[in-house]
C-alpha cells in the first residue's frame, strides 16, 4: 500500500468517525504523521476527495493552514447529473474507469451496469474509431448512457 493510499484511508476513517461528515485537519500535522511533504497531502486531496467522489474540500495555506473535508450526500439522480455535467468533450479510458467505479461505489450504478458501460467505452469496443477520436467518442457514449440511467 502506497503513501497516498495510507493517507486516504486515514482520512476516510477519520471522516467516518466525525459527527456530521466534516473533518478538519492541519496539513503540516498530517504531513508529519505520514513523513511526507505537504504537496503529497494536496495530491491525495485532489485525487481521492474530489466533488465527483462526493466531497467538498476547503483549504487554507500558511502556518495555520488547514484542510476541511465535507462528505456530501446526494441522491442518485443528482450524482448522475453532476457527473454528466462535469464530463468534458473528451474522457480517457482511465478516467472513465474511475468515474464508473465511483458511481458504483456510491450506489448510483449497479455493478453490472458499470461493467457494461466500461466495456462499451473500452478500447476494444472502440477499435474501429481512430485513436485520436476515441476519447471524444468515449465521452459522448458515456454521457448518453448515463442520461438513460437518470
Amino acid at each position: 500500500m502506497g503513501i497516498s493510499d495510507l493517507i486516504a484511508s486515514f482520512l476516510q476513517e477519520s471522516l467516518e468517525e466525525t459527527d456530521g461528515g466534516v473533518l478538519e485537519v492541519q496539513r503540516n500535522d498530517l504531513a508529519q504523521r505520514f513523513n511526507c511533504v505537504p504537496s503529497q497531502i494536496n495530491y491525495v486531496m485532489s485525487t481521492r476527495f474530489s466533488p465527483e467522489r462526493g466531497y467538498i474540500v476547503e483549504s487554507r495555506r500558511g502556518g495555520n493552514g488547514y484542510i476541511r473535508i465535507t462528505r456530501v450526500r446526494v441522491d442518485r439522480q443528482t450524482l448522475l447529473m453532476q457527473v454528466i455535467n462535469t464530463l468534458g468533450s473528451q474522457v480517457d479510458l482511465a478516467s472513465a474507469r474511475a468515474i464508473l467505479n465511483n458511481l458504483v461505489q456510491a450506489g448510483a450504478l449497479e455493478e453490472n451496469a458499470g461493467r457494461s458501460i466500461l466495456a462499451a467505452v473500452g478500447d476494444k469496443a472502440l477499435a474501429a474509431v481512430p485513436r485520436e477520436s476515441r476519447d471524444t467518442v468515449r465521452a459522448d457514449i458515456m454521457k448518453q448512457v448515463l442520461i438513460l440511467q437518470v
Side-chain angles (χ1 to χ4, degrees), residues 7-83:
I7 295 168
S9 293
F10 172 80
L11 291 171
Q12 190 73 281
E13 288 171 14
S14 298
L15 192 58
E16 289 172 8
E17 293 172 2
T18 66
D19 291 331
V22 178
L23 174 67
E24 195 169 296
V25 294
Q26 298 291 123
R27 185 187 331 269
N28 287 338
D29 291 347
L30 207 51
Q32 283 180 337
R33 177 185 189 105
F34 289 97
N35 197 26
C36 67
V37 295
S39 61
Q40 182 74 38
I41 306 300
N42 294 342
Y43 171 78
V44 171
M45 291 299 121
S46 64
T47 59
R48 310 291 176 87
F49 295 91
S50 64
E52 294 81 21
R53 292 180 178 244
Y55 299 95
I56 295 173
V57 177
E58 300 169 70
S59 178
R60 191 179 79 180
R61 297 180 187 268
N64 290 330
Y66 66 86
I67 298 169
R68 182 179 299 130
I69 305 168
T70 305
R71 174 84 175 152
V72 180
R73 303 274 185 215
V74 295
D75 62 72
R76 176 183 179 276
Q77 186 173 1
T78 302
L79 179 56
L80 286 169
M81 287 307 299
Q82 185 179 37
V83 169

Side-chain angles (χ1 to χ4, degrees), residues 42-138:
N42 294 342
Y43 171 78
V44 171
M45 291 299 121
S46 64
T47 59
R48 310 291 176 87
F49 295 91
S50 64
E52 294 81 21
R53 292 180 178 244
Y55 299 95
I56 295 173
V57 177
E58 300 169 70
S59 178
R60 191 179 79 180
R61 297 180 187 268
N64 290 330
Y66 66 86
I67 298 169
R68 182 179 299 130
I69 305 168
T70 305
R71 174 84 175 152
V72 180
R73 303 274 185 215
V74 295
D75 62 72
R76 176 183 179 276
Q77 186 173 1
T78 302
L79 179 56
L80 286 169
M81 287 307 299
Q82 185 179 37
V83 169
I84 292 164
N85 290 329
T86 58
L87 272 174
S89 60
Q90 296 185 333
V91 63
D92 62 32
L93 184 56
S95 297
R97 182 178 289 113
I99 290 166
L100 292 169
N101 282 336
N102 292 338
L103 289 172
V104 168
Q105 286 178 353
L109 279 181
E110 295 290 327
E111 189 173 340
N112 286 341
R115 282 198 307 258
S116 295
I117 297 168
L118 185 59
V121 300
D123 284 338
K124 286 184 181 179
L126 301 178
V129 176
R131 193 170 297 279
E132 62 274 1
S133 300
R134 287 183 188 171
D135 290 350
T136 302
V137 173
R138 190 182 337 271

